[in-house]
Amino acid sequence: MAGVALSFAFSTPALAEILIGTAGPMTGQYAAFGEQMKAGAEQAVEDINAAGGVNGEMLKLFVGDDACDPKQAVAVANQAAGEGVVFMAGHFCSGSSIPASAVYAEEGIVQISPASTNPTFTDERPGDGVFRVCGRDDQQGDVAGKFLVENFGDKKVAFVHDKTAYGKGLADATMAAYEAAGGKPAMYEAYTAGEKDYSALVSKLKAEGVGVLYVGGYHTEAGLMMRQMKEQGMDTVLVSGDALVTDEYWAITGDAGEGTLMTFSPDPRKNPDAAPLVEKFRAKGVEPEGYVLYTYAAVQAWAEAATTAGSTDFDPIVTALNDGKFNTVLGELEFDDKGDVTLPGYVFYEWKDGKYDYLEQ
């Protein structure tokens, strides 16, 4: 009995855990972006727990792999719901986030995507718990379309897309802005993602005398197109969007990627307030490029909302997200009535010497 009494004396109540998640392409050809999201979410959980957790409870991370496949994304969303996830920082591909959002809305799970830019994601959201901390393709396309007219008015501009919600949406938005500014597209075509040989498309671009190729799609295919254009002796400029914000693009193109242009939000790594966190990532051998800090910020915003609400329940957190301003690694942000973030818009970057940085005008 003395032993039993002693064990009770030294025992302490187990800390409760709050299960949150991130989901994206952890495998497949876009796995580089899944790794970015996972790194951002893991560090956010570590830092929040080190500071005492959320309302005195520790966070635990669920990681889902949707491989940027819509059906797999729905399966991941259902798995997350079954395991008790209360918040999802995901997904990456718009084609995954949109169908998964229906599951989260039905199950009362708050979703904040760090990366899905298709307007439909928030314009037609299935519930008021759907948000994003990134911009939208219509915003990105508006910047890119005007830029093409202003800077390449004397060149033939072609538009291609990979048929995905993200790629087609971005190409269409950019082409619409290009035409509205007075441009006349030389070509508009779809390509199949995942192929290794785009020489037929490249040959057609060459025959048409295309000087600028706008790619609505991801870094893997864009990189191959760029390399194959150089191999055919073309000096065509490749322009694309935020899916080229990974060092893997240059790994595919090599020096052929020199001069590639892309739109992305202002680089959060350059935010002075983010410097300590950036150094923390780098000390671990992680370069916080692309969507690392966006995923970190999504978790930050949810955690601040949960603290304000004093709860992890759906309704109080949604109210807090709608009403609050949040101090994140991206800067102070808030959400509009659609769930879109109010942050600075898109700017142009250029690939040089294996790195991307702001385009020098």
Side-chain angles (χ1 to χ4, degrees), residues 7-36:
S7 68
F8 273 109
F10 283 94
S11 67
T12 56
L15 287 174
E17 287 184 324
I18 303 167
L19 189 60
I20 68 169
T22 191
M26 303 301 161
T27 59
Q29 61 180 334
Y30 309 132
F33 293 110
E35 284 300 312
Q36 291 177 5

mmCIF file of all heavy atoms in Angstrom, residues 7-36:
data_model
loop_
_atom_site.group_PDB
_atom_site.id
_atom_site.type_symbol
_atom_site.label_atom_id
_atom_site.label_comp_id
_atom_site.label_asym_id
_atom_site.label_seq_id
_atom_site.Cartn_x
_atom_site.Cartn_y
_atom_site.Cartn_z
ATOM 1 N N SER A 7 3.415 5.953 -5.574
ATOM 2 C CA SER A 7 3.256 6.130 -7.017
ATOM 3 C C SER A 7 2.224 7.203 -7.324
ATOM 4 O O SER A 7 2.377 7.988 -8.244
ATOM 5 C CB SER A 7 2.867 4.796 -7.683
ATOM 6 O OG SER A 7 1.567 4.412 -7.297
ATOM 7 N N PHE A 8 1.161 7.273 -6.512
ATOM 8 C CA PHE A 8 0.158 8.318 -6.708
ATOM 9 C C PHE A 8 0.734 9.687 -6.387
ATOM 10 O O PHE A 8 0.443 10.672 -7.046
ATOM 11 C CB PHE A 8 -1.071 8.050 -5.826
ATOM 12 C CG PHE A 8 -2.080 7.156 -6.481
ATOM 13 C CD1 PHE A 8 -2.264 5.856 -6.040
ATOM 14 C CD2 PHE A 8 -2.842 7.602 -7.552
ATOM 15 C CE1 PHE A 8 -3.189 5.022 -6.642
ATOM 16 C CE2 PHE A 8 -3.767 6.781 -8.156
ATOM 17 C CZ PHE A 8 -3.938 5.483 -7.705
ATOM 18 N N ALA A 9 1.580 9.728 -5.391
ATOM 19 C CA ALA A 9 2.147 11.003 -4.978
ATOM 20 C C ALA A 9 3.013 11.613 -6.061
ATOM 21 O O ALA A 9 3.073 12.831 -6.215
ATOM 22 C CB ALA A 9 2.964 10.815 -3.690
ATOM 23 N N PHE A 10 3.702 10.758 -6.804
ATOM 24 C CA PHE A 10 4.629 11.267 -7.818
ATOM 25 C C PHE A 10 4.027 11.298 -9.221
ATOM 26 O O PHE A 10 4.681 11.690 -10.165
ATOM 27 C CB PHE A 10 5.915 10.414 -7.832
ATOM 28 C CG PHE A 10 6.829 10.742 -6.691
ATOM 29 C CD1 PHE A 10 6.770 10.018 -5.518
ATOM 30 C CD2 PHE A 10 7.727 11.792 -6.784
ATOM 31 C CE1 PHE A 10 7.606 10.326 -4.450
ATOM 32 C CE2 PHE A 10 8.565 12.100 -5.719
ATOM 33 C CZ PHE A 10 8.506 11.379 -4.542
ATOM 34 N N SER A 11 2.808 10.833 -9.371
ATOM 35 C CA SER A 11 2.182 10.855 -10.694
ATOM 36 C C SER A 11 1.596 12.229 -10.962
ATOM 37 O O SER A 11 1.213 12.945 -10.043
ATOM 38 C CB SER A 11 1.086 9.783 -10.790
ATOM 39 O OG SER A 11 0.018 10.116 -9.939
ATOM 40 N N THR A 12 1.556 12.592 -12.234
ATOM 41 C CA THR A 12 0.947 13.863 -12.635
ATOM 42 C C THR A 12 -0.024 13.590 -13.764
ATOM 43 O O THR A 12 0.157 12.647 -14.532
ATOM 44 C CB THR A 12 2.015 14.863 -13.130
ATOM 45 O OG1 THR A 12 2.756 14.268 -14.195
ATOM 46 C CG2 THR A 12 2.955 15.247 -12.015
ATOM 47 N N PRO A 13 -1.040 14.402 -13.912
ATOM 48 C CA PRO A 13 -2.005 14.189 -14.996
ATOM 49 C C PRO A 13 -1.320 14.297 -16.353
ATOM 50 O O PRO A 13 -0.461 15.166 -16.557
ATOM 51 C CB PRO A 13 -3.014 15.331 -14.799
ATOM 52 C CG PRO A 13 -2.825 15.789 -13.387
ATOM 53 C CD PRO A 13 -1.398 15.544 -13.061
ATOM 54 N N ALA A 14 -1.692 13.424 -17.279
ATOM 55 C CA ALA A 14 -1.123 13.479 -18.629
ATOM 56 C C ALA A 14 -1.626 14.729 -19.346
ATOM 57 O O ALA A 14 -2.794 15.098 -19.220
ATOM 58 C CB ALA A 14 -1.531 12.230 -19.416
ATOM 59 N N LEU A 15 -0.712 15.387 -20.039
ATOM 60 C CA LEU A 15 -1.113 16.578 -20.790
ATOM 61 C C LEU A 15 -1.974 16.177 -21.977
ATOM 62 O O LEU A 15 -1.666 15.229 -22.697
ATOM 63 C CB LEU A 15 0.119 17.330 -21.284
ATOM 64 C CG LEU A 15 0.920 18.104 -20.231
ATOM 65 C CD1 LEU A 15 2.180 18.667 -20.863
ATOM 66 C CD2 LEU A 15 0.087 19.232 -19.634
ATOM 67 N N ALA A 16 -3.046 16.906 -22.169
ATOM 68 C CA ALA A 16 -3.888 16.651 -23.333
ATOM 69 C C ALA A 16 -3.180 17.118 -24.594
ATOM 70 O O ALA A 16 -2.309 17.997 -24.538
ATOM 71 C CB ALA A 16 -5.215 17.381 -23.169
ATOM 72 N N GLU A 17 -3.511 16.524 -25.714
ATOM 73 C CA GLU A 17 -2.905 16.907 -26.989
ATOM 74 C C GLU A 17 -3.991 17.346 -27.969
ATOM 75 O O GLU A 17 -5.093 16.798 -27.971
ATOM 76 C CB GLU A 17 -2.113 15.745 -27.592
ATOM 77 C CG GLU A 17 -0.810 15.451 -26.882
ATOM 78 C CD GLU A 17 -0.017 14.362 -27.583
ATOM 79 O OE1 GLU A 17 -0.637 13.422 -28.102
ATOM 80 O OE2 GLU A 17 1.229 14.452 -27.585
ATOM 81 N N ILE A 18 -3.646 18.316 -28.770
ATOM 82 C CA ILE A 18 -4.536 18.791 -29.829
ATOM 83 C C ILE A 18 -3.934 18.322 -31.152
ATOM 84 O O ILE A 18 -2.770 18.625 -31.456
ATOM 85 C CB ILE A 18 -4.637 20.325 -29.830
ATOM 86 C CG1 ILE A 18 -5.122 20.849 -28.480
ATOM 87 C CG2 ILE A 18 -5.552 20.799 -30.948
ATOM 88 C CD1 ILE A 18 -4.947 22.353 -28.313
ATOM 89 N N LEU A 19 -4.710 17.592 -31.923
ATOM 90 C CA LEU A 19 -4.206 17.072 -33.186
ATOM 91 C C LEU A 19 -4.534 18.044 -34.318
ATOM 92 O O LEU A 19 -5.699 18.328 -34.591
ATOM 93 C CB LEU A 19 -4.820 15.702 -33.485
ATOM 94 C CG LEU A 19 -4.220 14.934 -34.675
ATOM 95 C CD1 LEU A 19 -2.740 14.655 -34.462
ATOM 96 C CD2 LEU A 19 -4.980 13.632 -34.915
ATOM 97 N N ILE A 20 -3.494 18.570 -34.955
ATOM 98 C CA ILE A 20 -3.665 19.403 -36.147
ATOM 99 C C ILE A 20 -2.942 18.710 -37.300
ATOM 100 O O ILE A 20 -2.164 17.781 -37.089
ATOM 101 C CB ILE A 20 -3.131 20.832 -35.942
ATOM 102 C CG1 ILE A 20 -1.598 20.834 -35.805
ATOM 103 C CG2 ILE A 20 -3.792 21.480 -34.735
ATOM 104 C CD1 ILE A 20 -0.981 22.216 -35.858
ATOM 105 N N GLY A 21 -3.190 19.172 -38.522
ATOM 106 C CA GLY A 21 -2.603 18.468 -39.660
ATOM 107 C C GLY A 21 -2.067 19.379 -40.740
ATOM 108 O O GLY A 21 -2.370 20.572 -40.799
ATOM 109 N N THR A 22 -1.239 18.786 -41.570
ATOM 110 C CA THR A 22 -0.882 19.387 -42.849
ATOM 111 C C THR A 22 -0.973 18.282 -43.879
ATOM 112 O O THR A 22 -0.732 17.107 -43.577
ATOM 113 C CB THR A 22 0.522 20.019 -42.826
ATOM 114 O OG1 THR A 22 0.710 20.803 -44.025
ATOM 115 C CG2 THR A 22 1.627 18.978 -42.769
ATOM 116 N N ALA A 23 -1.351 18.633 -45.091
ATOM 117 C CA ALA A 23 -1.505 17.627 -46.139
ATOM 118 C C ALA A 23 -1.118 18.221 -47.477
ATOM 119 O O ALA A 23 -1.431 19.377 -47.772
ATOM 120 C CB ALA A 23 -2.949 17.108 -46.192
ATOM 121 N N GLY A 24 -0.425 17.432 -48.254
ATOM 122 C CA GLY A 24 0.023 17.870 -49.568
ATOM 123 C C GLY A 24 0.736 16.730 -50.265
ATOM 124 O O GLY A 24 0.660 15.575 -49.839
ATOM 125 N N PRO A 25 1.476 17.021 -51.334
ATOM 126 C CA PRO A 25 2.166 15.965 -52.082
ATOM 127 C C PRO A 25 3.461 15.534 -51.391
ATOM 128 O O PRO A 25 4.545 15.998 -51.725
ATOM 129 C CB PRO A 25 2.438 16.626 -53.433
ATOM 130 C CG PRO A 25 2.594 18.082 -53.096
ATOM 131 C CD PRO A 25 1.637 18.341 -51.969
ATOM 132 N N MET A 26 3.350 14.638 -50.444
ATOM 133 C CA MET A 26 4.541 14.141 -49.746
ATOM 134 C C MET A 26 5.308 13.145 -50.608
ATOM 135 O O MET A 26 6.487 12.873 -50.358
ATOM 136 C CB MET A 26 4.142 13.488 -48.411
ATOM 137 C CG MET A 26 3.361 14.416 -47.490
ATOM 138 S SD MET A 26 4.282 15.915 -47.059
ATOM 139 C CE MET A 26 2.949 16.991 -46.497
ATOM 140 N N THR A 27 4.638 12.596 -51.601
ATOM 141 C CA THR A 27 5.287 11.730 -52.586
ATOM 142 C C THR A 27 4.876 12.201 -53.982
ATOM 143 O O THR A 27 3.979 13.026 -54.137
ATOM 144 C CB THR A 27 4.873 10.262 -52.409
ATOM 145 O OG1 THR A 27 3.441 10.161 -52.543
ATOM 146 C CG2 THR A 27 5.288 9.736 -51.044
ATOM 147 N N GLY A 28 5.536 11.673 -54.992
ATOM 148 C CA GLY A 28 5.204 12.039 -56.363
ATOM 149 C C GLY A 28 6.071 13.167 -56.875
ATOM 150 O O GLY A 28 6.988 13.639 -56.205
ATOM 151 N N GLN A 29 5.757 13.635 -58.086
ATOM 152 C CA GLN A 29 6.630 14.592 -58.750
ATOM 153 C C GLN A 29 6.618 15.983 -58.129
ATOM 154 O O GLN A 29 7.498 16.800 -58.395
ATOM 155 C CB GLN A 29 6.277 14.682 -60.231
ATOM 156 C CG GLN A 29 4.865 15.145 -60.525
ATOM 157 C CD GLN A 29 4.580 15.214 -62.016
ATOM 158 O OE1 GLN A 29 5.494 15.387 -62.821
ATOM 159 N NE2 GLN A 29 3.318 15.064 -62.401
ATOM 160 N N TYR A 30 5.638 16.258 -57.271
ATOM 161 C CA TYR A 30 5.586 17.566 -56.609
ATOM 162 C C TYR A 30 5.930 17.468 -55.123
ATOM 163 O O TYR A 30 5.587 18.336 -54.325
ATOM 164 C CB TYR A 30 4.203 18.193 -56.789
ATOM 165 C CG TYR A 30 3.733 18.223 -58.226
ATOM 166 C CD1 TYR A 30 2.454 17.802 -58.582
ATOM 167 C CD2 TYR A 30 4.598 18.642 -59.246
ATOM 168 C CE1 TYR A 30 2.042 17.822 -59.911
ATOM 169 C CE2 TYR A 30 4.186 18.656 -60.563
ATOM 170 C CZ TYR A 30 2.906 18.243 -60.895
ATOM 171 O OH TYR A 30 2.505 18.246 -62.207
ATOM 172 N N ALA A 31 6.623 16.395 -54.756
ATOM 173 C CA ALA A 31 6.937 16.135 -53.350
ATOM 174 C C ALA A 31 7.790 17.234 -52.722
ATOM 175 O O ALA A 31 7.784 17.389 -51.496
ATOM 176 C CB ALA A 31 7.630 14.783 -53.209
ATOM 177 N N ALA A 32 8.516 17.995 -53.538
ATOM 178 C CA ALA A 32 9.327 19.089 -52.981
ATOM 179 C C ALA A 32 8.443 20.077 -52.225
ATOM 180 O O ALA A 32 8.845 20.617 -51.179
ATOM 181 C CB ALA A 32 10.077 19.812 -54.095
ATOM 182 N N PHE A 33 7.221 20.300 -52.723
ATOM 183 C CA PHE A 33 6.317 21.226 -52.060
ATOM 184 C C PHE A 33 5.719 20.606 -50.797
ATOM 185 O O PHE A 33 5.478 21.296 -49.809
ATOM 186 C CB PHE A 33 5.219 21.678 -53.013
ATOM 187 C CG PHE A 33 5.726 22.521 -54.143
ATOM 188 C CD1 PHE A 33 5.755 22.039 -55.441
ATOM 189 C CD2 PHE A 33 6.208 23.792 -53.914
ATOM 190 C CE1 PHE A 33 6.237 22.820 -56.486
ATOM 191 C CE2 PHE A 33 6.690 24.583 -54.943
ATOM 192 C CZ PHE A 33 6.710 24.090 -56.234
ATOM 193 N N GLY A 34 5.475 19.302 -50.829
ATOM 194 C CA GLY A 34 5.014 18.617 -49.624
ATOM 195 C C GLY A 34 6.048 18.711 -48.512
ATOM 196 O O GLY A 34 5.707 18.918 -47.341
ATOM 197 N N GLU A 35 7.307 18.584 -48.890
ATOM 198 C CA GLU A 35 8.379 18.703 -47.904
ATOM 199 C C GLU A 35 8.433 20.109 -47.319
ATOM 200 O O GLU A 35 8.707 20.290 -46.128
ATOM 201 C CB GLU A 35 9.718 18.331 -48.540
ATOM 202 C CG GLU A 35 9.922 16.835 -48.723
ATOM 203 C CD GLU A 35 9.870 16.081 -47.399
ATOM 204 O OE1 GLU A 35 10.537 16.505 -46.438
ATOM 205 O OE2 GLU A 35 9.149 15.066 -47.325
ATOM 206 N N GLN A 36 8.199 21.112 -48.169
ATOM 207 C CA GLN A 36 8.154 22.483 -47.670
ATOM 208 C C GLN A 36 7.060 22.635 -46.614
ATOM 209 O O GLN A 36 7.278 23.215 -45.534
ATOM 210 C CB GLN A 36 7.900 23.461 -48.819
ATOM 211 C CG GLN A 36 9.054 23.606 -49.802
ATOM 212 C CD GLN A 36 8.705 24.535 -50.962
ATOM 213 O OE1 GLN A 36 7.635 25.138 -50.987
ATOM 214 N NE2 GLN A 36 9.603 24.641 -51.927
#
